[in-house]
Amino acid sequence: MNPPHAVVEVEGLRKDYTGEPPIRALREVSFTIVSNDFVAVTGPSGSGKTTLLALLGLLDEPTAGEYRLDGQDVSGLNDRRRAAIRAHKVGFVFQAFHLIDYRTVLENVQLGLMYQGVRRPQRISRSLEVIDHVGLRHRAQAPCSTLSGGERQRVAIARVLVREPSLILCDEPTGNLDSSNTDQVLMLLDQLHSDGMTIVLITHDPAVAHRANRRFEMTDGRLSEPVRAGHD
Amino acid sequence: MEDSRSPSGQDMTREPNSALRAVDVLFEASTAVWRRPVRTLLTALGTIVGVAAFVMTTGLAATASAQVSSSFDALEATEVRVQDVQPDGSHLFPADVDVRLSALNGVVAAGVIYELRHDEDLAARGSPSLNGGVAAQIPILAASPGALDASRVTVGSGVLYGSFHADRAELVAVLGRVAADDLGIHDVSAQPAVFIGSRAFTVVGIIDNAVRNPGLLLSVVIPSSTERKYFGSGGIEAEVVIDTEPGAASLIGRQAALALRPDDPERLRVLVPPDPASLRNAVESEVTALYYALAGLSLAIGTIAIANSTLLNTIERRSEIGLRRALGAKRSHIVRQVVVEASITGAFAGVVGAALAVTGIGIISSLREWTATIEPLLVAAAPILGLATGALAGVVPAARASRTPPAVTLRS
Ligand SMILES: Nc1ncnc2c1ncn2[C@@H]1O[C@H](COP(=O)(O)OP(=O)(O)OP(=O)(O)O)[C@@H](O)[C@H]1O
Ligand SMILES: [Mg+2]
C-alpha cells in the first residue's frame, strides 16, 4: 500500500451563518487527515459536525480558513470548479440516503459516475460490480422505492464506491437504521477502510465511533481530538 | 483511479472537470418524464388544453371560413349582365360584343342575347315532313356564340354554332330541349330544319341545359349576326351576358360599359354580384381575429400552466437536485435537464392536444354538417409548438432549481 499522504489539510477553518443573530457554527478549526484514516466525529447536537462535513465535501463555502484536498488548495474556488472536485474526489453517505425513488438501483448507482463524464456502458459494468459487492445483485433492476432502509443505505454506499473518491463523508449513515442493518452498513464501511479508503463519519453512537481509528470531538464549533489512537 | 489516489502534488495540476453527456441529459430527462406518467400528465394538462384549444380554434376558423366561402354561389359570383336603361328598339350593342369583351382580362366568355319581336310572319315552324308544318308559339332568340358559352350551355345532341357560322351569318339554329320536343326534333344527325318566316335554318344542335339562361331551353336560337342580316329587328330585352374568372366580376363590371359603348356608357346598366371576396373577408377577419385571439390566449395559459407545474415539480424534487449537485452536477447541468424535461413534456402535450383537437373539430363539424378543414401543417406543428412552449416555460424553474444549494442533502 502507498505510504500515507495528507488527504485533508485544514487550517483555521471558520463558518459563520449570517442571520439574526449570526451563528458561529465553526470556529478556527485545524487538523489533518491522512489517507486511510477512519475518523469518527462526535459531539452534541448543534455543535457544528454537519457544518464541518459540508465544508470538507465542498457543499458549502467557509467564511475563512485554508483547505487543501489531496494537496490541492480548494478554498475560494468558483461553483463550477467546486462541482468538478465534488464529482471526482468526494463521496457522500447521507442519513436520509438520497436515492432517486423512481429510478432503479442500477440507475442510482450509475448516477455516481454520470457527472464524471463516464460513458454509459462503462457506468453499467462498473455499477453492477459494486452492486454485487454490497450484496444487491438480485435487486439491481428494482426501483429504489421498493427497497428497505438497510438496502437503501447499501445502494448509497455502492454509489460512493463506484466513484472511487479520495474522501468518503458520512453524516450519521446509520441514524435511520435498526441494529441489524446498522451492523451491515458498518461492516461495509470497515471493508472500505481496510481497502484503503479515507473516511470521515459523523455519529452519535459510541459503538459506531468505536470502529474508527481516530475520534474528533466537536463542542460549540470547536474541534478536539481527545485520544489519538494509533493506525491499526 | 490509480492517478487520483496517488500521493499529492504532481498529477493534481490536471484540472478535473464535471461533465454531463448530451445523451445522458436526454436519458435522464426522458426517464424523469416517463417513469412518472401521472405526474407528467398533470404537468402537461394545462399545455394539452392550450395546444388543443390552439389547434381547435385555428382549425375551426379555417373550417368556418371554408363554409362562408362555399355558401357564396360560385355561379352567381362569376356572372355579369349588362342591360339597357332606356330600351328604344334600336341596336344597343355593337355587332362585335364577343370580341370587345373577350379582350378584357378576366372574361371567360361573353356575348349578346335578345328575343326577336313577335311577328306572325316570323313564327317558327318545324319542317313540314316532321310536324306537318304546324306553327308553334316558340320564342326565337338571337345570341352570339359567346352568349351561349357565357350562359353555361350544355349540348345534348349535335354542336353549338360558333364564330365560324356567326361570322358568315349562316342560316343555322340550335334548339332548346323543350322547343325541340315541341317541334318533334330529337336528332340532328339528319340535319333537320326549322323555318322562321320563309327561311329555313339548319338545326345543328339541341341544348340540354342552360344554367344561366333557362329561357334558352324553350327557344329557337340563331346567331345574332344572322338575325341582323336577315331580320334586323333590333330585338327586345337585349342583354349582354358575361362569364368571368372567379373574383373578376366586379372588375369586369367596372370596365364592361365603356368597352361596349365608349360613346355612351351611361346608357348601360351593369349588374354585378355582391363581391364575395370582400364579403368573405369581412366575415372571415371578424371570425378569425376572435379565434386567433382565443388560440393565443390558450397557448399563453398553456405556457404558464407548464411553467407553474414545472416549478412545483422542481421544488418537490429539491433533494434530488441537491443530490445531483452533491454528485458533481454544475448549475448548467441542472438547467439543461429541467429545460429538456419541460420540452419533452411540452412535446407530449402537443401530440395529445393535437389529437384531441382533431377529434373535437371532427365532432363539431359533423354536428354542424360542415366539412372539416384542418391544416395538416398545423397538426404537424403542434408537437413542435408544445416543445417550444415547454422549453420556454422550463427556463425560469430551471434557473431556480439550479440555485439549489448542494448542502440541502445534509439538512433533510
Ligand atoms: N443554513 C444554516 N443557516 C443558519 N444556521 C445554521 C445553518 N445550518 C446550521 N446552522 C446552525 O449551525 C449550528 C451547527 O449546526 P450543525 O448542523 O453543523 O450541527 P450538528 O453538529 O450537525 O448537529 P446535529 O447533531 O443535530 O446534526 C447550529 O446551531 C445550527 O442551527
Ligand atoms: Mg448534523
Side-chain angles (χ1 to χ4, degrees):
Chain A
M1 193 163 285
N2 293 321
H5 64 277
V7 175
V8 173
E9 297 160 89
V10 162
E11 189 65 50
L13 202 63
R14 233 179 70 204
K15 178 68 182 180
D16 300 336
Y17 289 109
T18 51
E20 262 323 307
I23 292 164
R24 319 191 81 186
L26 215 57
R27 313 175 187 223
E28 308 281 321
V29 169
S30 304
F31 58 87
T32 300
I33 294 171
V34 297
S35 55
N36 204 21
D37 267 351
F38 186 171
V39 181
V41 182
T42 54
S45 182
S47 57
K49 306 182 294 294
T50 299
T51 303
L52 175 66
L53 208 72
L55 296 180
L56 295 183
L58 299 185
L59 295 179
D60 208 346
E61 288 172 288
T63 310
E66 302 269 296
Y67 178 18
R68 295 173 75 80
L69 175 59
D70 255 352
Q72 184 189 5
D73 185 357
V74 294
S75 23
L77 297 183
N78 65 18
D79 190 81
R80 290 168 56 91
R81 299 190 48 201
R82 286 191 295 134
I85 290 168
R86 286 199 298 272
H88 291 277
K89 295 201 173 291
V90 188
F92 295 98
V93 181
F94 308 99
Q95 178 171 5
F97 316 133
H98 285 303
L99 303 180
I100 303 178
D101 266 358
Y102 62 91
R103 310 290 295 268
T104 65
V105 168
L106 179 58
E107 286 169 337
N108 269 280
V109 175
Q110 268 194 71
L111 204 62
L113 291 173
M114 186 167 298
Y115 297 99
Q116 293 184 353
V118 178
R119 288 174 188 279
R120 203 167 123 89
Q122 280 110 286
R123 288 208 306 261
I124 291 177
S125 65
R126 285 169 62 182
S127 299
L128 285 172
E129 260 173 54
V130 296
I131 289 169
D132 200 24
H133 188 76
V134 301
L136 287 173
R137 158 161 275 180
H138 60 295
R139 303 288 276 149
Q141 296 295 348
C144 284
S145 52
T146 66
L147 300 183
S148 75
E151 288 171 327
R152 278 166 197 249
Q153 203 56 303
R154 277 145 69 195
V155 174
I157 290 172
R159 186 176 60 197
V160 169
L161 265 178
V162 80
R163 290 158 70 79
E164 302 179 343
S166 304
L167 180 62
I168 298 177
L169 302 172
C170 316
D171 194 348
E172 307 201 28
T174 58
N176 286 350
L177 301 181
D178 62 19
S179 63
S180 89
N181 279 313
T182 297
D183 286 347
Q184 277 195 16
V185 165
L186 291 176
M187 262 163 58
L188 277 171
L189 290 176
D190 276 345
Q191 211 170 65
L192 295 186
H193 180 224
S194 33
D195 288 347
M197 297 277 194
T198 310
I199 303 171
V200 176
L201 178 147
I202 295 175
T203 184
H204 278 123
D205 184 344
V208 175
H210 188 69
R211 305 225 178 188
N213 65 342
R214 289 178 71 185
R215 184 139 158 220
F216 288 177
E217 178 80 37
M218 298 269 326
T219 15
D220 201 16
R222 288 180 222 276
L223 186 146
S224 59
E225 192 171 5
V227 223
R228 170 85 211 233
H231 287 270
D232 22 290
Chain B
M1 152 167 195
E2 295 312 318
D3 278 0
S4 60
R5 275 208 199 160
S6 67
S8 61
Q10 311 91 322
D11 62 318
M12 289 310 133
T13 48
R14 181 177 49 92
E15 182 85 349
N17 192 19
S18 163
L20 181 61
R21 295 168 181 280
V23 42
D24 288 333
V25 177
L26 263 179
F27 186 82
E28 289 299 294
S30 59
T31 311
V33 170
W34 300 125
R35 289 278 172 85
R36 292 168 305 170
V38 175
R39 177 204 298 261
T40 298
L41 200 65
L42 289 176
T43 308
L45 208 58
T47 313
I48 290 174
V49 173
V51 171
F54 181 81
V55 173
M56 196 142 148
T57 46
T58 45
L60 278 180
T63 301
S65 62
Q67 299 316 304
V68 171
S69 34
S70 77
S71 66
F72 288 106
D73 193 319
L75 197 63
E76 198 180 315
T78 55
E79 175 181 330
V80 176
R81 288 174 188 264
V82 186
Q83 295 168 344
D84 192 0
V85 179
Q86 323 153 307
D88 62 359
S90 67
H91 266 296
L92 175 68
F93 296 112
D96 56 351
V97 167
D98 297 28
V99 177
R100 286 186 193 219
L101 289 179
S102 299
L104 299 180
N105 223 342
V107 171
V108 176
V112 67
I113 190 164
Y114 53 90
E115 194 172 342
L116 267 62
R117 211 166 270 121
H118 281 291
D119 190 321
E120 273 307 303
D121 298 339
L122 290 184
R125 285 166 285 121
S127 144
S129 61
L130 286 173
N131 205 12
V134 175
Q137 285 297 331
I138 299 175
I140 303 164
L141 296 179
S144 63
L148 295 182
D149 292 337
S151 301
R152 299 264 178 109
V153 160
T154 47
V155 182
S157 161
V159 294
L160 296 177
Y161 54 76
S163 54
F164 176 83
H165 302 102
D167 291 351
R168 289 169 184 72
E170 286 189 0
L171 291 167
V172 290
V174 293
L175 304 180
R177 175 159 48 84
V178 179
D181 273 349
D182 284 350
L183 292 168
I185 297 172
H186 305 290
D187 180 13
V188 297
S189 56
Q191 296 197 319
V194 290
F195 291 86
I196 300 173
S198 57
R199 290 195 173 76
F201 286 71
T202 306
V203 178
V204 294
I206 295 172
I207 295 172
D208 214 26
N209 208 349
V211 283
R212 280 216 178 112
N213 261 330
L216 286 169
L217 298 180
L218 310 173
S219 312
V220 172
V221 189
I222 62 174
S224 52
S225 53
T226 308
E227 191 278 336
R228 274 177 190 257
K229 177 168 175 187
Y230 294 104
F231 308 112
S233 74
I236 50 175
E237 292 176 13
E239 187 176 57
V240 165
V241 185
I242 308 172
D243 185 28
T244 75
E245 305 275 7
S250 52
L251 175 73
I252 301 303
R254 288 193 295 276
Q255 297 173 342
L258 204 62
L260 291 169
R261 289 295 293 265
D263 56 319
D264 190 10
E266 299 302 310
R267 179 162 169 193
L268 302 178
R269 174 169 59 214
V270 180
L271 304 177
V272 292
D275 182 3
S278 59
L279 192 57
R280 181 171 65 236
N281 285 345
V283 176
E284 231 177 53
S285 64
E286 258 175 48
V287 172
T288 50
L290 188 69
Y291 274 131
Y292 281 111
L294 278 173
L297 189 70
S298 44
L299 210 59
I301 291 171
T303 310
I304 294 167
I306 204 170
N308 188 43
S309 21
T310 304
L311 194 62
L312 287 176
N313 207 336
T314 52
I315 290 169
E316 190 188 323
R317 282 163 72 202
R318 193 171 149 86
S319 88
E320 177 192 329
I321 290 160
L323 170 74
R324 289 176 184 273
R325 294 275 284 138
L327 293 178
K330 290 188 279 199
R331 283 187 183 152
S332 60
H333 294 152
I334 302 296
V335 170
R336 261 180 262 172
Q337 184 179 338
V338 173
V339 168
V340 172
E341 276 181 27
S343 308
I344 293 173
T345 308
F348 162 74
V351 172
V352 176
L356 286 180
V358 169
T359 313
I361 294 172
I363 291 171
I364 291 176
S365 300
S366 69
L367 289 180
R368 296 251 177 143
E369 299 187 339
W370 286 354
T371 313
T373 311
I374 301 168
E375 183 65 60
L377 215 61
L378 188 69
V379 177
I384 298 169
L385 202 67
L387 188 137
T389 305
L392 188 72
V395 171
V396 171
R400 263 197 69 143
S402 77
R403 287 197 295 271
T404 304
V408 297
T409 44
L410 294 171
R411 305 274 175 207
S412 50

